[in-house]
C-alpha cells in the first residue's frame, strides 16, 4: 500500500508539472496571425504586416513543445501536419498556371517549379521573387528549414535541441551577408527573418523552465503588456527601430508570454479558437477568395463599397478556411497520424 501511495504521489506531481496538451493562447494567436495576413493582403489598410513573423514565433514555441512531448515522431508528425493541404493547394495553382496562365502571370507551370515547390526548395522566379508556385509557400520553405534543423538537433540531443537550433539560427543569420552573394538557397535560408523562430524558442524556454512563475504574473501586468505588444504590431511602430534585432519576433514573444500568463484565468471566445484551429487552411487559401471578390465584385479600398467588399472578403475567407479545415485538413492529418502511430 505504501509503494502504491508513493507511485500515486509521483504520478500526481508529474501531472502537475506536465505541460497542458492544448494551449488555447496559441490557438488565439494563430487566429490573430492568420487574420493579420488576410487583412494585410487586402493591401489598402496599411496595417497588420506582422502576421508571418508572429506565425514564425508561434512555430518556434510549438515545435519545442511538440518535440518535448514526442521527439521520436517529431518530423513525421510535422510532415503529416503541413504537407497534405500545401501539396493540394500547390497542385491547384499548377493546374491554373497550366490551363489559365493569364490568371497567374508570374507563375510558370514547369515540372522543375512543381518539384521544387513540393520539396520546399527555394528558387527565384522569372520576376525575381523567391516564391514557389503557391506564392504563400515561401513561408513554408522557412518552416521546412526550421523542421529540418530541429530534427537534426533532436538526433544529436533531445534535451539540448532547442539550444542547438537557437545557435544555428543565430549563426545562419549572422552569415547572411557572407553567403547572400551565392544566391538561393543560401541567400534565402540565412535572411534575418529566421530569427523570429529563435524568439519563439526563447519564449518556450522561459515558459518551460518558469511556467509556474509565468502563471503567477498579475493580470494587471500581463493584460497591458499583451495589449501594448499587439498595438505595436498592428500599427507597425516597431519597424522604425531598424537594426539587426528581430523586433517583430521580440514583441510577438512578449505578446505570447502575456497570453500564456493568462491561461488559467481567461476563457477565450469559441469562435476565435475555431479560427485558430483553421488558421493553416485560412492562410493557404485566402488569396483565392480575396482575388475573386477584389476583381469580380468590387475593388478593395477606403470607400464605403470598398470597405464592405474588404469585410465580406475577410469573412468569406474565414468561412472557406473553416470548411476546408473540417473537410480536408483535419481528416487528412488524422489519417496520416494513424499511419505514423
Amino acid at each position: 500500500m505504501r509503494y502504491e501511495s508513493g507511485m500515486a504521489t509521483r504520478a500526481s506531481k508529474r501531472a502537475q508539472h506536465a505541460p497542458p496538451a492544448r494551449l488555447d493562447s496559441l490557438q488565439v494567436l494563430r487566429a490573430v496571425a492568420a487574420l493579420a495576413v488576410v487583412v494585410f493582403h487586402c493591401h489598402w489598410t496599411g496595417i497588420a504586416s506582422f502576421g508571418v513573423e508572429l506565425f514564425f514565433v508561434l512555430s518556434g514555441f510549438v515545435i519545442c513543445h511538440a518535440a518535448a512531448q514526442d521527439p521520436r515522431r517529431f518530423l513525421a508528425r510535422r510532415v503529416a501536419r503541413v504537407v497534405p493541404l500545401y501539396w493540394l493547394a500547390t497542385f491547384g495553382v499548377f493546374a491554373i498556371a497550366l490551363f489559365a496562365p493569364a490568371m497567374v502571370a508570374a507563375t510558370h507551370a514547369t515540372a522543375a517549379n512543381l518539384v521544387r515547390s513540393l520539396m520546399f526548395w527555394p528558387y527565384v522566379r522569372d520576376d525575381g521573387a523567391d516564391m514557389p508556385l503557391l506564392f504563400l509557400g515561401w513561408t513554408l520553405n522557412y518552416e521546412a528549414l526550421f523542421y529540418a534543423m530541429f530534427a537534426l538537433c533532436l538526433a544529436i540531443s533531445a534535451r539540448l535541441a532547442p539550444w542547438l537550433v537557437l545557435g544555428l539560427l543565430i549563426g545562419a543569420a549572422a552569415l547572411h551577408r557572407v553567403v547572400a552573394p551565392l544566391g538561393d538557397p543560401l541567400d534565402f535560408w540565412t535572411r534575418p527573418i529566421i530569427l523570429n523562430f529563435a524568439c519563439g524558442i526563447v519564449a518556450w524556454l522561459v515558459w518551460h523552465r518558469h511556467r509556474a512563475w509565468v502563471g503567477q504574473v498579475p493580470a494587471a501586468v500581463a493584460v497591458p503588456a499583451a495589449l501594448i505588444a499587439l498595438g505595436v504590431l498592428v500599427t507597425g511602430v516597431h519597424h522604425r527601430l531598424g537594426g539587426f534585432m528581430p523586433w517583430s519576433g521580440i514583441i510577438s514573444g512578449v505578446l505570447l508570454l502575456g497570453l500564456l500568463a493568462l491561461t488559467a484565468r481567461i476563457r477565450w471566445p469559441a469562435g476565435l479558437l475555431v479560427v485558430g484551429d483553421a488558421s493553416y487552411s485560412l492562410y493557404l487559401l485566402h488569396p483565392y477568395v480575396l482575388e475573386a471578390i477584389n476583381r469580380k465584385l468590387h475593388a478593395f479600398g477606403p470607400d464605403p463599397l470598398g470597405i464592405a467588399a474588404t469585410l465580406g472578403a475577410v469573412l468569406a475567407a474565414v468561412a472557406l478556411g473553416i470548411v476546408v479545415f473540417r473537410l480536408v485538413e483535419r481528416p487528412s492529418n488524422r489519417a496520416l497520424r494513424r499511419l505514423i502511430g
Side-chain angles (χ1 to χ4, degrees):
M1 291 292 292
R2 187 179 302 169
Y3 173 77
E4 292 178 357
S5 175
M7 290 286 289
T9 301
R10 287 193 292 272
S12 176
K13 289 181 178 180
R14 284 196 299 269
Q16 291 173 3
H17 293 285
R22 175 186 169 103
L23 294 170
D24 285 348
S25 298
L26 293 178
Q27 296 305 95
V28 167
L29 287 181
R30 281 190 175 120
V32 170
L35 291 171
V37 171
V38 175
V39 170
F40 180 70
H41 284 157
C42 293
H43 298 302
W44 68 270
T45 61
I47 61 172
S49 61
F50 65 92
V52 168
E53 287 87 349
L54 178 55
F55 265 131
F56 285 174
V57 171
L58 294 176
S59 184
F61 186 98
V62 168
I63 293 313
C64 290
H65 188 53
Q69 291 183 318
D70 190 1
R72 185 174 62 86
R73 293 176 292 185
F74 160 76
L75 190 57
R77 287 181 175 271
R78 286 297 97 195
V79 170
R81 173 75 176 86
V82 170
V83 166
L85 189 61
Y86 177 63
W87 278 16
L88 181 62
T90 296
F91 278 116
V93 174
F94 182 80
I96 293 172
L98 192 62
F99 298 109
M103 295 180 64
V104 284
T107 302
H108 300 292
T110 67
N113 287 348
L114 178 61
V115 171
R116 287 183 291 192
S117 296
L118 295 177
M119 294 295 104
F120 305 98
W121 190 264
Y123 68 93
V124 180
R125 300 190 314 196
D126 292 343
D127 64 352
D130 298 85
M131 293 180 179
L133 291 174
L134 180 65
F135 79 94
L136 288 167
W138 71 269
T139 62
L140 295 180
N141 289 346
Y142 281 117
E143 292 281 355
L145 169 68
F146 181 51
Y147 298 165
M149 280 184 173
F150 219 103
L152 174 64
C153 292
L154 279 174
I156 297 172
S157 171
R159 183 175 62 85
L160 296 177
W163 294 100
L164 295 175
V165 178
L166 192 61
L168 285 177
L169 291 168
I170 295 172
L175 289 174
H176 177 67
R177 291 186 178 181
V178 176
V179 302
L182 301 176
D184 280 349
L186 290 177
D187 173 27
F188 182 88
W189 284 338
T190 58
R191 290 174 186 170
I193 195 171
I194 63 176
L195 293 176
N196 290 288
F197 294 113
C199 293
I201 293 175
V202 171
W204 182 82
L205 289 169
V206 170
W207 177 81
H208 180 67
R209 290 171 172 266
H210 307 288
R211 190 158 55 249
W213 177 84
V214 172
Q216 292 171 4
V217 173
V221 174
V223 172
L227 289 175
I228 291 171
L230 181 60
V232 170
L233 291 173
V234 170
T235 58
V237 174
H238 57 292
H239 292 313
R240 302 175 189 173
L241 298 174
F244 184 75
M245 297 295 291
W247 294 112
S248 293
I250 293 171
I251 297 167
S252 294
V254 172
L255 174 59
L256 171 57
L257 288 172
L259 293 194
L260 287 172
L262 299 170
T263 296
R265 290 173 282 177
I266 191 168
R267 185 172 182 177
W268 297 104
L272 202 55
L273 296 176
V274 169
V275 176
D277 288 339
S279 58
Y280 185 50
S281 293
L282 173 58
Y283 178 75
L284 288 183
L285 301 177
H286 76 270
Y288 295 101
V289 178
L290 298 191
E291 284 298 301
I293 293 178
N294 187 46
R295 291 187 180 188
K296 301 300 182 182
L297 294 182
H298 192 281
F300 302 149
D303 60 290
L305 285 178
I307 293 173
T310 302
L311 292 174
V314 172
L315 292 175
V318 170
L320 176 64
I322 292 172
V323 170
V324 172
F325 167 72
R326 290 181 173 175
L327 298 182
V328 179
E329 181 188 347
R330 183 166 59 185
S332 65
N333 289 167
R334 286 176 174 174
L336 286 175
R337 280 177 176 264
R338 283 195 294 268
L339 289 175
I340 294 168

